[in-house]
Coordinates of all heavy atoms in Angstrom, one line a residue:
M1 N 5.2 39.0 -11.6 CA 6.0 38.1 -10.7 C 5.1 37.5 -9.7 O 3.9 37.8 -9.6 CB 7.1 39.0 -10.1 CG 8.1 39.6 -11.0 SD 9.0 38.6 -12.2 CE 9.9 37.4 -11.2
G2 N 5.7 36.7 -8.8 CA 4.9 36.0 -7.8 C 4.8 36.9 -6.5 O 5.4 37.9 -6.3
K3 N 4.0 36.3 -5.6 CA 3.8 36.9 -4.3 C 3.5 35.8 -3.3 O 2.8 34.9 -3.6 CB 2.6 37.9 -4.4 CG 2.2 38.5 -3.1 CD 0.9 39.3 -3.2 CE 0.4 39.7 -1.8 NZ -0.8 40.5 -1.9
I4 N 4.1 36.0 -2.1 CA 3.8 35.0 -1.1 C 3.0 35.7 0.1 O 3.2 36.9 0.3 CB 5.0 34.3 -0.5 CG1 6.0 35.2 0.2 CG2 5.8 33.5 -1.6 CD1 7.0 34.6 1.0
V5 N 2.2 34.9 0.7 CA 1.4 35.4 1.9 C 1.7 34.4 3.0 O 1.5 33.2 2.8 CB -0.1 35.4 1.6 CG1 -0.8 35.9 2.8 CG2 -0.4 36.4 0.5
I6 N 2.3 34.9 4.1 CA 2.6 34.0 5.2 C 1.6 34.2 6.3 O 1.4 35.3 6.8 CB 4.0 34.3 5.7 CG1 5.1 34.1 4.6 CG2 4.4 33.4 6.9 CD1 6.5 34.5 4.9
N7 N 0.9 33.1 6.7 CA 0.0 33.2 7.8 C 0.8 33.2 9.1 O 1.3 32.1 9.5 CB -1.0 32.1 7.8 CG -2.1 32.1 8.8 OD1 -1.8 32.7 9.9 ND2 -3.2 31.6 8.5
E8 N 1.0 34.3 9.8 CA 1.8 34.4 10.9 C 1.3 33.6 12.1 O 2.1 33.2 13.0 CB 2.0 35.8 11.3 CG 0.7 36.6 11.7 CD 0.9 38.0 11.9 OE1 1.6 38.7 11.0 OE2 0.4 38.6 12.9
E9 N 0.1 33.3 12.2 CA -0.5 32.5 13.3 C -0.2 31.0 13.1 O -0.1 30.2 14.1 CB -2.0 32.7 13.5 CG -2.3 34.1 13.9 CD -1.5 34.6 15.2 OE1 -1.4 33.8 16.1 OE2 -1.1 35.7 15.2
F10 N 0.0 30.5 11.9 CA 0.3 29.1 11.6 C 1.8 28.9 11.7 O 2.3 27.7 12.0 CB -0.1 28.7 10.3 CG -1.6 28.5 10.1 CD1 -2.2 28.3 8.9 CD2 -2.5 28.6 11.2 CE1 -3.6 28.1 8.7 CE2 -3.8 28.5 11.1 CZ -4.4 28.2 9.8
C11 N 2.6 29.9 11.5 CA 4.1 29.7 11.4 C 4.7 29.5 12.8 O 4.4 30.2 13.7 CB 4.7 31.0 10.8 SG 6.5 30.9 10.6
K12 N 5.6 28.6 12.8 CA 6.3 28.3 14.1 C 7.8 28.7 14.0 O 8.6 28.3 14.9 CB 6.2 26.8 14.4 CG 4.8 26.4 14.8 CD 4.7 24.9 15.1 CE 3.2 24.6 15.4 NZ 3.0 23.1 15.3
G13 N 8.2 29.4 13.0 CA 9.5 29.9 12.9 C 10.6 28.9 12.7 O 11.8 29.1 13.1
C14 N 10.4 27.8 12.0 CA 11.4 26.8 11.8 C 12.4 27.2 10.8 O 13.5 26.6 10.7 CB 10.7 25.5 11.3 SG 10.0 25.6 9.7
A15 N 12.1 28.2 10.0 CA 13.1 28.8 9.0 C 13.4 27.9 7.8 O 14.3 28.1 7.0 CB 14.4 29.3 9.6
L16 N 12.6 26.8 7.6 CA 12.8 26.0 6.4 C 12.5 26.8 5.1 O 13.2 26.6 4.1 CB 12.0 24.7 6.5 CG 12.4 23.7 7.5 CD1 11.4 22.6 7.6 CD2 13.8 23.1 7.2
C17 N 11.5 27.6 5.2 CA 11.2 28.4 4.0 C 12.3 29.4 3.7 O 12.6 29.6 2.5 CB 9.9 29.2 4.3 SG 9.9 30.3 5.7
A18 N 12.9 30.0 4.7 CA 14.0 30.9 4.5 C 15.2 30.2 3.8 O 15.9 30.8 3.0 CB 14.4 31.6 5.8
T19 N 15.4 29.0 4.2 CA 16.5 28.2 3.6 C 16.2 27.8 2.2 O 17.1 27.8 1.3 CB 16.7 26.9 4.4 OG1 17.0 27.2 5.8 CG2 17.9 26.1 3.9
A20 N 14.9 27.5 1.9 CA 14.5 27.1 0.6 C 14.4 28.3 -0.4 O 14.5 28.0 -1.6 CB 13.2 26.4 0.6
C21 N 14.3 29.5 0.0 CA 14.1 30.6 -0.9 C 15.3 30.9 -1.7 O 16.4 31.2 -1.1 CB 13.7 31.9 -0.1 SG 13.4 33.3 -1.2
V22 N 15.3 30.8 -3.0 CA 16.4 31.0 -3.8 C 16.9 32.4 -3.8 O 18.1 32.7 -3.9 CB 16.1 30.6 -5.3 CG1 17.0 29.4 -5.7 CG2 14.7 30.3 -5.6
K23 N 16.0 33.3 -3.7 CA 16.4 34.8 -3.7 C 16.7 35.3 -2.2 O 17.1 36.4 -2.1 CB 15.2 35.6 -4.2 CG 14.9 35.3 -5.6 CD 15.6 36.2 -6.5 CE 15.1 36.1 -7.9 NZ 15.7 37.2 -8.8
K24 N 16.5 34.4 -1.2 CA 16.8 34.8 0.2 C 15.9 36.0 0.6 O 16.4 36.9 1.3 CB 18.3 35.1 0.4 CG 19.2 33.9 0.0 CD 18.8 32.7 0.8 CE 19.7 31.5 0.4 NZ 19.1 30.2 0.8
Y25 N 14.7 36.0 0.2 CA 13.7 37.0 0.5 C 12.8 36.7 1.7 O 11.9 37.5 2.0 CB 12.8 37.3 -0.7 CG 13.5 38.1 -1.8 CD1 12.9 38.1 -3.1 CD2 14.7 38.7 -1.7 CE1 13.5 38.7 -4.1 CE2 15.3 39.4 -2.7 CZ 14.7 39.4 -3.9 OH 15.3 40.0 -5.0
I26 N 13.1 35.6 2.4 CA 12.3 35.3 3.6 C 13.3 35.2 4.8 O 14.3 34.6 4.7 CB 11.6 33.9 3.4 CG1 10.7 34.0 2.2 CG2 10.8 33.6 4.7 CD1 10.0 32.6 1.9
A27 N 12.8 35.8 5.9 CA 13.6 35.8 7.1 C 12.7 35.7 8.3 O 11.5 35.9 8.2 CB 14.5 37.1 7.2
I28 N 13.3 35.2 9.4 CA 12.5 35.1 10.7 C 12.5 36.5 11.3 O 13.5 37.1 11.5 CB 13.1 34.1 11.6 CG1 13.1 32.7 11.0 CG2 12.3 34.0 12.9 CD1 11.8 32.2 10.5
G29 N 11.3 37.0 11.6 CA 11.1 38.4 12.1 C 11.5 38.5 13.6 O 11.9 37.6 14.2
T30 N 11.3 39.7 14.1 CA 11.6 40.0 15.5 C 10.4 40.1 16.4 O 10.5 40.2 17.6 CB 12.3 41.4 15.6 OG1 11.5 42.4 15.0 CG2 13.7 41.3 14.8
E31 N 9.2 39.9 15.8 CA 7.9 39.9 16.5 C 7.5 38.5 16.6 O 7.8 37.6 15.8 CB 6.9 40.7 15.9 CG 7.2 42.2 15.8 CD 6.1 43.0 15.1 OE1 4.9 42.6 15.2 OE2 6.4 44.0 14.5
F32 N 6.7 38.2 17.6 CA 6.2 36.8 17.8 C 4.6 36.8 17.7 O 4.0 37.8 17.9 CB 6.6 36.1 19.1 CG 6.4 36.9 20.3 CD1 5.2 36.8 21.0 CD2 7.4 37.8 20.8 CE1 5.0 37.5 22.2 CE2 7.2 38.5 22.0 CZ 6.0 38.4 22.7
N33 N 4.1 35.6 17.3 CA 2.7 35.5 17.2 C 2.0 35.1 18.5 O 2.6 35.1 19.6 CB 2.3 34.4 16.1 CG 2.9 33.1 16.4 OD1 3.2 32.7 17.5 ND2 3.0 32.2 15.4
R34 N 0.7 34.9 18.5 CA -0.1 34.6 19.7 C 0.4 33.4 20.5 O 0.2 33.3 21.7 CB -1.6 34.4 19.4 CG -2.2 35.7 19.0 CD -3.7 35.5 18.9 NE -4.0 34.7 17.7 CZ -5.1 34.3 17.3 NH1 -6.2 34.6 18.0 NH2 -5.3 33.6 16.2
T35 N 1.0 32.4 19.8 CA 1.5 31.2 20.4 C 2.9 31.3 20.9 O 3.5 30.4 21.5 CB 1.3 30.0 19.5 OG1 2.0 30.2 18.3 CG2 -0.1 29.7 19.3
G36 N 3.6 32.5 20.7 CA 4.9 32.7 21.2 C 6.1 32.4 20.2 O 7.2 32.4 20.7
Y37 N 5.8 32.1 19.0 CA 6.8 31.8 18.0 C 7.2 33.1 17.2 O 6.3 33.8 16.8 CB 6.3 30.8 17.0 CG 6.1 29.4 17.6 CD1 4.8 28.9 17.8 CD2 7.2 28.6 18.0 CE1 4.6 27.7 18.4 CE2 7.0 27.3 18.6 CZ 5.7 26.9 18.7 OH 5.5 25.7 19.3
Y38 N 8.4 33.2 16.9 CA 8.9 34.3 15.9 C 8.5 33.7 14.6 O 8.9 32.6 14.3 CB 10.4 34.5 16.1 CG 10.7 35.2 17.3 CD1 11.3 34.5 18.4 CD2 10.6 36.6 17.5 CE1 11.6 35.1 19.6 CE2 10.9 37.2 18.6 CZ 11.4 36.5 19.7 OH 11.7 37.2 20.9
F39 N 7.8 34.5 13.8 CA 7.3 33.9 12.5 C 8.1 34.5 11.3 O 8.8 35.5 11.4 CB 5.8 34.2 12.3 CG 5.5 35.7 12.5 CD1 5.5 36.5 11.4 CD2 5.1 36.2 13.7 CE1 5.1 37.9 11.6 CE2 4.8 37.5 13.9 CZ 4.8 38.4 12.8
A40 N 8.0 33.8 10.2 CA 8.7 34.2 9.0 C 8.0 35.4 8.3 O 6.8 35.6 8.4 CB 8.7 33.0 8.0
E41 N 8.8 36.2 7.7 CA 8.3 37.4 7.0 C 9.0 37.5 5.6 O 10.2 37.2 5.5 CB 8.6 38.7 7.8 CG 8.0 38.7 9.1 CD 8.4 40.0 9.9 OE1 9.5 40.4 9.8 OE2 7.5 40.4 10.7
Y42 N 8.3 38.1 4.7 CA 8.8 38.4 3.4 C 9.6 39.7 3.5 O 9.1 40.7 3.9 CB 7.8 38.5 2.3 CG 8.3 38.8 0.9 CD1 8.9 37.8 0.1 CD2 8.3 40.1 0.4 CE1 9.4 38.1 -1.1 CE2 8.8 40.4 -0.8 CZ 9.3 39.4 -1.6 OH 9.9 39.7 -2.8
C43 N 10.9 39.7 3.2 CA 11.7 40.9 3.3 C 12.4 41.3 2.0 O 13.3 42.1 2.1 CB 12.8 40.6 4.4 SG 13.9 39.2 4.0
G44 N 11.9 40.8 0.9 CA 12.4 41.3 -0.4 C 11.7 42.4 -0.9 O 10.6 42.9 -0.4
P45 N 12.2 43.0 -2.0 CA 11.5 44.1 -2.7 C 10.1 43.6 -3.3 O 10.0 42.5 -3.7 CB 12.4 44.4 -3.9 CG 13.7 43.7 -3.6 CD 13.4 42.6 -2.7
E46 N 9.2 44.5 -3.3 CA 7.8 44.2 -3.8 C 7.9 43.8 -5.3 O 8.5 44.4 -6.1 CB 7.0 45.5 -3.7 CG 5.5 45.3 -4.0 CD 4.8 44.4 -2.9 OE1 5.2 44.5 -1.7 OE2 3.9 43.7 -3.3
G47 N 7.3 42.7 -5.5 CA 7.2 42.2 -6.9 C 8.4 41.4 -7.4 O 8.5 41.1 -8.5
E48 N 9.4 41.1 -6.5 CA 10.6 40.4 -6.9 C 10.5 38.9 -6.7 O 11.4 38.2 -7.1 CB 11.8 41.0 -6.2 CG 12.2 42.4 -6.7 CD 12.6 42.4 -8.2 OE1 13.4 41.5 -8.6 OE2 12.2 43.3 -8.9
C49 N 9.5 38.5 -6.0 CA 9.4 37.0 -5.7 C 9.1 36.3 -7.0 O 8.3 36.8 -7.9 CB 8.2 36.8 -4.8 SG 7.8 35.0 -4.5
T50 N 9.8 35.2 -7.3 CA 9.6 34.5 -8.6 C 8.4 33.6 -8.6 O 8.0 33.2 -9.7 CB 10.9 33.6 -8.8 OG1 11.0 32.7 -7.8 CG2 12.1 34.5 -8.9
G51 N 7.8 33.3 -7.4 CA 6.7 32.5 -7.4 C 7.0 31.0 -7.6 O 6.1 30.2 -8.0
C52 N 8.2 30.6 -7.3 CA 8.6 29.2 -7.5 C 8.0 28.2 -6.5 O 7.9 27.1 -6.8 CB 10.2 29.1 -7.3 SG 10.8 29.4 -5.7
A53 N 7.5 28.7 -5.4 CA 6.7 27.9 -4.4 C 7.6 26.9 -3.6 O 7.1 26.1 -2.9 CB 5.5 27.2 -5.0
L54 N 8.9 27.1 -3.7 CA 9.7 26.2 -2.8 C 9.5 26.4 -1.4 O 9.5 25.5 -0.6 CB 11.2 26.4 -3.2 CG 11.7 25.8 -4.5 CD1 13.1 26.2 -4.8 CD2 11.5 24.4 -4.6
C55 N 9.3 27.7 -1.0 CA 9.0 28.0 0.4 C 7.8 27.3 0.9 O 7.8 26.7 2.0 CB 8.9 29.5 0.6 SG 7.7 30.3 -0.4
A56 N 6.7 27.3 0.1 CA 5.5 26.7 0.5 C 5.6 25.2 0.6 O 5.0 24.5 1.4 CB 4.4 27.1 -0.5
E57 N 6.4 24.6 -0.3 CA 6.6 23.1 -0.3 C 7.3 22.7 0.9 O 7.1 21.6 1.4 CB 7.3 22.7 -1.6 CG 6.4 22.8 -2.8 CD 7.2 22.4 -4.1 OE1 8.2 21.6 -4.0 OE2 6.8 22.8 -5.2
M58 N 8.3 23.5 1.4 CA 9.1 23.2 2.5 C 8.4 23.4 3.9 O 8.7 22.8 4.9 CB 10.4 24.0 2.5 CG 11.3 23.6 1.4 SD 11.9 21.9 1.5 CE 12.8 21.9 3.0
C59 N 7.3 24.2 3.9 CA 6.7 24.6 5.1 C 5.9 23.4 5.7 O 4.9 23.0 5.2 CB 5.8 25.8 4.9 SG 5.0 26.3 6.4
P60 N 6.3 22.9 6.9 CA 5.6 21.8 7.5 C 4.2 22.2 8.1 O 3.4 21.4 8.4 CB 6.5 21.3 8.6 CG 7.4 22.5 8.9 CD 7.5 23.3 7.7
D61 N 4.0 23.5 8.3 CA 2.8 24.0 9.0 C 1.8 24.6 8.0 O 0.8 25.1 8.4 CB 3.2 25.1 10.0 CG 4.1 24.6 11.0 OD1 3.8 23.5 11.6 OD2 5.1 25.2 11.3
V62 N 2.1 24.5 6.7 CA 1.2 25.0 5.6 C 0.8 26.4 5.8 O -0.3 26.8 5.8 CB 0.0 24.0 5.4 CG1 -0.7 24.4 4.1 CG2 0.4 22.6 5.4
A63 N 1.8 27.2 6.2 CA 1.6 28.6 6.5 C 1.8 29.6 5.4 O 1.7 30.8 5.5 CB 2.5 29.0 7.7
I64 N 2.2 29.1 4.2 CA 2.6 30.0 3.1 C 1.7 29.7 1.9 O 1.6 28.5 1.4 CB 4.1 29.8 2.7 CG1 4.9 30.1 3.9 CG2 4.4 30.7 1.5 CD1 6.4 29.8 3.7
E65 N 1.1 30.8 1.3 CA 0.4 30.7 0.1 C 1.2 31.4 -1.0 O 1.8 32.5 -0.7 CB -0.9 31.4 0.2 CG -1.9 30.8 1.1 CD -3.2 31.5 1.1 OE1 -3.7 32.0 0.0 OE2 -3.8 31.6 2.2
V66 N 1.3 30.9 -2.2 CA 2.0 31.5 -3.3 C 1.1 31.9 -4.4 O 0.2 31.1 -4.8 CB 3.1 30.5 -3.8 CG1 3.9 31.1 -5.0 CG2 4.1 30.1 -2.7
W67 N 1.2 33.1 -4.8 CA 0.4 33.6 -5.9 C 1.2 34.1 -7.1 O 2.3 34.6 -6.9 CB -0.4 34.9 -5.4 CG -1.3 34.5 -4.3 CD1 -1.0 34.6 -3.0 CD2 -2.7 34.0 -4.4 NE1 -2.1 34.2 -2.2 CE2 -3.1 33.8 -3.1 CE3 -3.5 33.8 -5.4 CZ2 -4.4 33.4 -2.8 CZ3 -4.8 33.3 -5.1 CH2 -5.2 33.2 -3.8
K68 N 0.8 33.8 -8.3 CA 1.6 34.2 -9.5 C 0.8 35.2 -10.2 O -0.4 35.3 -10.2 CB 1.8 33.0 -10.4 CG 2.9 32.1 -9.8 CD 3.3 31.1 -10.9 CE 4.4 30.3 -10.3 NZ 5.1 29.5 -11.3

């Protein structure tokens, strides 16, 4: 299955990736990064990401990498 890596320092917490995730495995976390934004986190079961890359395509900050 796929895997996503979210660069928490690039993320500004817009939640577009969470909206785009078909499985709803991305959510905005409760911690913030160095610039003061709450960043997105993968919150699904390990190995359940489909690797569709919709989250990465929606991210305006290019903060998400998708691995298959």
Side-chain angles (χ1 to χ4, degrees):
M1 298 307 297
K3 175 185 173 184
I4 65 167
V5 177
I6 301 172
N7 184 329
E8 60 189 46
E9 295 305 321
F10 289 172
C11 180
K12 293 183 182 160
C14 68
L16 290 174
C17 58
T19 304
C21 182
V22 243
K23 297 269 191 170
K24 303 300 177 201
Y25 287 162
I26 302 174
I28 301 301
T30 57
E31 296 181 30
F32 52 89
N33 59 19
R34 287 187 291 177
T35 53
Y37 294 107
Y38 291 99
F39 54 89
E41 297 177 327
Y42 179 78
C43 59
E46 188 70 31
E48 289 294 316
C49 174
T50 62
C52 69
L54 288 175
C55 57
E57 290 179 23
M58 291 299 295
C59 182
D61 300 310
V62 193
I64 303 174
E65 294 180 38
V66 180
W67 300 90
K68 286 192 176 190

